[in-house]
Amino acid sequence: MSIQTEHPSVEKLRTGISSLDIIAKGGLPKGRTTLISGTAGSGKTVFGVHFLAAGIELGEPGVFVTFEEAASDIQKNMQSFGWDLAQWVEEGKLAFVDASPDPHIDTVEAGGFDLGALVARIANAVKKVGATRVAVDSLGAVFSQFSDQNMVRGELFRIASALKGMGVTAVLTAERVDDHGPVARFGVEEFIADNVMILRNALEDETRRRTIEILKFRGCDHQKGEYPFTIVPHGGVIVIPLSAMTLSMRSSDVRISSGNAQLDEMCGGGFFRDSVTLVSGATGTGKTLTVAQFLKGGADSGERCLLLAFEESRDQLVRNARGWGFDFEKMERDGLLKVVCDYPDVSGLEDWLVTIQAIINDFKPQRMALDSLSALENVGTVKAFREFVIGLTSFIKHQEITGVFTSTTGSLMGGDSITESHISTLTDSIILLRYVEMFGDMKRGLTVLKMRGSWHDKAIREFTIDKGGMQLGRPFRNVTGILSGSPVHVSPSDIERVWRQFDADVGDRRQPDSAGKNAS
C-alpha cells in the first residue's frame, strides 16, 4: 500500500500589480528574490518602484536600495506616476538605502571589497519600517567595479541569502546588453536568483515595443512566453496578458438596430448586443456613414455611444454627420456621445489599448465605434496589431458593448484587405462596401459577408447616399466579380447559357449512379 503525501506549494505574494499577478498566477514567490533583467529603457526602475508602491497601498512597507540614481532624483521622477515617495518616507512606510556613487569621488576597481556593510544597512532599514518588500536597483552598477566573475557570483549570492534571511520578498534589477542576448551582463545573476523575469524594449520596424517574460519561477507555475506591457502616467506598469485571456464571454440573443432599418433586415433583425462588426471598404464607400448611423441609432434608443476616430478631426466628423441629417453636437450635449480624435502615431498600440479601456471604464458606453483600424495598423508590427484587436474585442465583449470597426481596402475597387485577413476571424460580422463600375457609372454595393449565429441576406445590394444617409436599393443582377474588385457585366443570355451548362454537368454526374441502381 503506497502512501501519498501532499507537498506544500510555494506561497505567492500578490504584488498588487493586477495584470502582472495574472501571468504570474497569483504573484511573486513569497520570501524569495526575483531578478528583473532588461536593457536600457525597458522599465526596470519603474517596475521596482511600482512593486514597492503597490505593496505600500496594500499595507506592506518597503525598502528601496539604489546604486545608480540618488534617492532624491528617484522621488522626483516617480511623482508623475502618482507615487509620493517622500510622503511615504515621512510616514515610515518606505525607507531608502542610498548607495549611489558620489560624482566628486573617482570610482576605483574593488579588490577584496565585500558588501557586508551594505547588507547591514539594508537589514537596519528593513527593521526600521517593518518592511516585507525590498527592491534593489541595480546590481550592474555595483558589480561593474569587480573584474573577477567569481567574486561577483559570491557577493550576489551573499545579497540574495541575506535578503532571504530577512524574510522579505525582493526584486533585484540587472542590465543586459541585448534584448535577445545573455540574460544578464555578468552571466551568473540568473543562476543565483530563485526567479527570473526579463523586460524587453525591442526595436521592430522603427517602433519600440515593451514585453515581459517570466523565464523561471523556482518551484511554482507561471504563464509562459512574452507579454506586451506599457508604462503609463498615474498607472505605472500595465501588463497586457492576452494569451491568458479566457473565452468566457456571454452571448446575447438581444438584437439592436444598426441605425438603418434596411440594413437591419439584411442582418436578420439587427446586430447582436455583444457582437463586434467589421465594416470594410475603399475610401469613400460609406464606412464612416455606417458608423454614424450606428451611433445615431444608439442615441435614439438612449444609449451612450463612444466614437474613436483616427482619420478625421472632430469638426470634420460633426460636419459630415450634419450633412447626413445627424446632429452629433446635440448628442454630445445630451451626454449620449463622446468623440475621441487623435493621430494614431502619438502612442504605441499597447498604450492605445490601455487608454481606450480607461475611456470605456469612465464613460461606460453601450456602443463603441472605431474608425479606422487601418490607421492603427501601421503603428506597430503585425503581431502587435493582432494582439491589440484581440485585447480590445475581448474587453468590450466582457463589458457587453456592441462594437463596430472599420477598415480600408488597399484598392479602390475592393479586393483583399490586409486588415481583413488579420482580424476577420476575431469579429462576429463582416459588412463589405464596394464600388461597382457599370456602363461608365460608379455605383456602390453592400453585402453582409458573415453574421455569426444568424441568418442574413446573401445578396449584394446597391445603395446610395443622400441627406438622409444610406439608402439601400435592389440587389445587383447580371454582374459578377464585385467582391474580388473586378466587376463584369453579364448579359441575360450568357447567364441562361451558364445555367444550362451547369444543369447538364449535374445530370452527367448523376447518370452513372442511376444506371447502377437500375442494374442492381
Side-chain angles (χ1 to χ4, degrees), residues 191-368:
F191 301 107
I192 301 300
D194 297 306
N195 320 298
V196 177
M197 299 173 64
I198 297 177
L199 306 183
R200 295 185 175 93
N201 188 27
L203 179 65
E204 299 179 36
D205 296 334
E206 301 181 0
T207 302
R208 289 283 178 186
R209 183 169 186 257
R210 289 189 172 101
T211 60
I212 183 170
E213 177 188 5
I214 300 176
L215 186 63
K216 74 170 183 176
F217 269 3
R218 192 168 285 166
C220 55
D221 196 16
H222 58 87
Q223 293 284 349
K224 311 301 189 296
E226 286 185 274
Y227 295 84
F229 80 95
T230 186
I231 298 175
V232 298
H234 300 284
V237 174
I238 298 179
V239 183
I240 304 172
L242 296 174
S243 61
M245 293 177 179
T246 57
L247 292 172
S248 58
M249 301 83 76
R250 293 190 295 268
S251 295
S252 173
D253 292 325
V254 177
R255 299 269 192 170
I256 66 168
S257 174
S258 66
N260 185 303
Q262 297 165 313
L263 181 56
D264 290 344
E265 185 179 344
M266 289 189 68
C267 294
F271 300 157
F272 285 117
R273 162 61 66 190
D274 54 0
S275 67
V276 175
T277 300
L278 175 67
V279 180
S280 176
T283 179
T285 49
K287 300 185 300 298
T288 305
L289 168 58
T290 306
V291 164
Q293 64 186 15
F294 168 71
L295 299 175
K296 177 64 166 54
D300 289 343
S301 301
E303 299 178 351
R304 286 187 299 277
C305 304
L306 172 65
L307 172 58
L308 305 168
F310 295 102
E311 292 185 333
E312 296 181 84
S313 67
R314 180 189 172 279
D315 289 343
Q316 283 180 301
L317 291 166
V318 170
R319 181 199 63 193
N320 295 341
R322 190 185 302 118
W324 299 318
F326 309 146
D327 192 343
F328 272 13
E329 290 180 317
K330 183 179 185 302
M331 292 162 60
E332 286 180 311
R333 289 194 301 269
D334 294 340
L336 297 175
L337 176 65
K338 182 179 182 67
V339 180
V340 177
C341 300
D342 212 335
Y343 285 110
D345 302 89
V346 299
S347 297
L349 289 172
E350 293 79 19
D351 295 309
W352 273 122
L353 181 58
V354 172
T355 300
I356 293 171
Q357 289 177 343
I359 294 171
I360 290 175
N361 287 329
D362 180 61
F363 187 62
K364 295 179 172 56
Q366 284 85 38
R367 299 189 182 205
M368 190 208 79

Side-chain angles (χ1 to χ4, degrees), residues 25-38:
K25 291 190 174 181
L28 300 183
K30 191 173 183 178
R32 297 186 176 185
T33 57
T34 300
L35 180 71
I36 310 296
S37 183

Side-chain angles (χ1 to χ4, degrees), residues 35-56:
L35 180 71
I36 310 296
S37 183
T39 54
S42 57
K44 300 183 298 297
T45 302
V46 175
F47 187 98
V49 175
H50 195 171
F51 171 69
L52 297 181
I56 290 171

Side-chain angles (χ1 to χ4, degrees), residues 44-46 48 64-69 74 135-139 141 171-175:
K44 300 183 298 297
T45 302
V46 175
F64 191 89
V65 184
T66 174
F67 287 109
E68 291 186 315
E69 296 181 86
I74 293 174
V136 179
D137 184 52
S138 86
L139 297 176
V171 295
L172 288 68
T173 70
E175 296 87 358

